[in-house]
Amino acid sequence: MSQRSELEQTAAIETIAQSDRPRIEAGDPAHDGTPAARRRRGRRVGGATPYFFVGPAAILFLCFSLVPICIAIVLSFQDTATLGDGEWVGGENFGRMVGDSLFRTALLNTLVFTLGTVPTSMAMGLALAVALNRRIPGRSVLRALFFVPMVAAGVVVGVVMSWIFNGDYGVANNALTFLGLERAPWLTAPGWAMATLILVVVWTRIGFCMVIYLGALQAIPEELKEAAALDGASRWTRFRLVSWPLLRPTTSILLILNVVFSLQAFDVIYVMTGGGPGFSTTVLMQYIFRSAFIDARMGYAAALGGGARRGAPPLHRPASESDATSRGGTVMTTSRFGTASQDALSTRNLPAVRPATSRERTSPRRWLLFAALTALAILMVFPVYWMFVSALTPGGQSQSGSFYLVPSEPTMQNYVEVFATQPVLAWLGNSLFIAGIGTALSVCISLSAGYALAKFRFRGRGLLYALFLVTIMIPIQVTLVPSFLVVARIGLVDSPWAVILPTLFDTVGIFIARQFMLGVPDALMEAARLDGASEFVVFFRVVLPSCGPLVGVLVILGFMNRWNDFLWPLVVLQGNENLTVPVALSTLTTNPAFSSPWGPVMAVATITVIPLLVVFLVFQRQFVQGIASSGIK
């Protein structure tokens, strides 16, 4: 139900390609790639065993995916605030969409926002990936710095950027004044507001695109580049004729993902501009939210969501069992970045890189590139730095309108004030409970369902898996309103379980688990069965120990997604003490309890970011390798 994390939607298959799972040996009759072998894959088990493993996921899918889709269809033909209480109006809601000027404005804004964010973030991500794939000093640190913006929640990004681009006291305008330039209406003029939003969203996505492109670049065999170099090809010619053709599958999937992310954009826009000034930054997702939960036109909002679905591209084609076959002793993996062997995707098996010569190490161009990347990395992490600084800055200095980079008298007063006046510990507890319990349950459900779909052949398996995959292609706009009605009908509104239950069914997690478990050799499982082990012992004693990398990725991505989630908790949580940290943070800038709100707001933003930032900095290598093939080396 929550917006799918950009990391969660992309991760995964690349971790599978480079993980330490057992290699399928060439010539294994169970994995020889023939049609007969493919039919033998998956053990047909009588009774209820496979249904026990896949049952929890199927029940959640029915309650929180299939039922909301059906409700959305019914609602779109009603004029109602709640299901069953309205009047059947046929296609009137769809006719109203055609004549709705605000809908056309939201649609146009969404188009402008998408065209502004998608090509820019992809182009800059590719440029950074190419630059950081060269031998330059400190490239591991630079890669980590460029990826830091991806760690922050969208609402944290929105709050911090609202403070940076504040018209009266923001550091951006203070810097312009310091340089003798005119102050800019970053968020108060229509054209400026949309441009500022595009700039902020590009800032958050550059690292994401960079890491994916890095993984693809490092999967290109060095022999191809060296052969072109021996033929006298320049660096640009080698990129154009060798690297770029091999990057096209990666570019295609990044294009689709970035378009989906832009179509579903909500939290940054909601926090920074609220759709204003006027309706100049109102996008489709925000207009659906406004129609359903502010104007109480849920039937019309459901129709808007249905219209949004027709413009959303599919994320990928459904993968078949033949996507993981053995060809000549090498495991073949079909991922979102095309079909490649495990040997090709794993940087451990790439050809050894020629050490840099003394001339290359002292090349002026190399050091100029290092200087330029360092300056850009400083700009990338500056908003995070400014968040920490503002949390330690006294209110008088923060609202003085003068330019500064370090507080004159650092103080913890902002933390003291916000903890004294707001239930911050309750917010943290709510977020921790939702993220912890939700992640644990979701990972267990994904693992068991993935195991059933990968290793058993049972009646209805193909249909069930196809239905699961279809939900990936259904944007949140379609199910937002009906899912809220489902939760309201069972009395869970304003409860942590209203956030947890609809998110337990994770299609991407199930897909990842299934693809990984297809590579676990059946011979190990058969040996355990011959020793008298039950199917549950096989799962817990044989399969799960081979899935360490898979479990790590699912836990890290699931926890981060739930900790940062904003839209769904905003819809279902109401009481102040029941809010999660991101939702509570979005309300603090207008809280009358603070005479100078930005210091306390930055203090809460810092508290929100620190847990994920620490996890990222400690596990950055494993974390980024879970997104692309060895993005940080």
Side-chain angles (χ1 to χ4, degrees), residues 83-431:
L83 183 63
D85 297 332
E87 177 184 358
W88 186 269
V89 295
E92 183 177 319
N93 286 325
F94 296 97
R96 185 186 306 172
M97 287 171 51
V98 177
D100 187 350
S101 60
L102 289 182
F103 170 70
R104 292 196 299 270
T105 298
L107 204 59
L108 178 61
N109 290 339
T110 303
L111 177 62
V112 172
F113 181 79
T114 301
L115 292 177
T117 55
V118 173
T120 308
S121 57
M122 290 180 62
M124 295 187 69
L126 176 59
L128 285 175
V130 171
L132 291 172
N133 199 41
R134 299 176 61 182
R135 290 178 289 272
I136 59 174
R139 64 176 180 177
S140 295
V141 176
L142 290 172
R143 291 173 183 176
L145 292 178
F146 282 116
F147 194 76
V148 163
M150 281 296 303
V151 179
V155 65
V156 172
V157 171
V159 167
V160 173
M161 290 301 188
S162 295
W163 174 225
I164 288 176
F165 292 109
N166 182 276
D168 298 322
Y169 310 114
V171 66
N173 271 342
N174 290 344
L176 291 177
T177 302
F178 180 78
L179 295 174
L181 302 175
E182 186 178 352
R183 302 172 77 88
W186 300 103
L187 301 175
T188 56
W192 280 88
M194 179 59 76
T196 303
L197 287 175
I198 291 173
L199 175 66
V200 170
V201 171
V202 168
W203 174 78
T204 64
R205 291 190 194 165
I206 289 176
F208 168 74
C209 296
M210 176 201 71
V211 168
I212 302 303
Y213 273 126
L214 268 173
L217 284 170
Q218 293 187 355
I220 299 174
E222 285 293 325
E223 292 96 331
L224 298 179
K225 302 175 187 177
E226 292 175 357
L230 289 175
D231 287 340
S234 64
R235 189 182 298 274
W236 166 248
T237 301
R238 295 198 299 270
F239 174 79
R240 182 171 58 88
L241 297 181
V242 177
S243 299
W244 178 245
L246 297 175
L247 290 177
R248 286 175 183 170
T250 303
T251 301
S252 297
I253 191 59
L254 273 178
L255 176 63
I256 293 173
L257 288 173
N258 276 281
V259 169
V260 171
F261 299 153
S262 293
L263 292 177
Q264 296 183 357
F266 178 80
D267 41 9
V268 172
I269 300 173
Y270 178 88
V271 173
M272 288 189 67
T273 65
F279 293 94
S280 61
T281 59
T282 299
V283 293
L284 192 57
M285 187 70 249
Q286 190 171 14
Y287 187 52
I288 293 173
F289 175 84
R290 175 191 177 95
S291 298
F293 302 105
I294 298 178
D295 299 338
R297 297 184 298 167
M298 291 195 172
Y300 184 52
L304 291 172
R309 167 66 190 96
R310 288 189 285 272
L315 291 179
H316 58 77
R317 65 172 180 83
S320 64
E321 289 182 2
S322 60
D323 287 346
T325 61
S326 178
R327 301 180 186 175
T330 301
V331 176
M332 301 302 294
T333 303
T334 298
S335 74
R336 294 175 179 169
F337 303 100
T339 302
S341 67
Q342 179 177 340
D343 286 338
L345 287 176
S346 176
T347 56
R348 292 171 301 190
N349 298 315
L350 286 176
V353 177
R354 174 180 56 84
T357 64
S358 58
R359 180 178 179 181
E360 288 174 330
R361 285 194 293 267
T362 58
S363 170
R365 292 175 58 184
R366 185 166 171 264
W367 285 103
L368 284 175
L369 177 62
F370 169 73
L373 289 173
T374 301
L376 186 57
I378 292 173
L379 288 178
M380 289 292 291
V381 299
F382 177 79
V384 179
Y385 165 80
W386 193 247
M387 175 186 68
F388 286 108
V389 166
S390 298
L392 299 174
T393 303
Q397 183 179 10
S398 65
Q399 298 197 27
S400 65
S402 59
F403 177 70
Y404 64 94
L405 293 176
V406 178
S408 57
E409 298 180 3
T411 177
M412 298 294 292
Q413 182 58 36
N414 292 320
Y415 290 94
V416 173
E417 184 178 359
V418 76
F419 273 93
T421 59
Q422 303 297 321
V424 178
L425 293 179
W427 298 339
L428 289 171
N430 295 336
S431 290

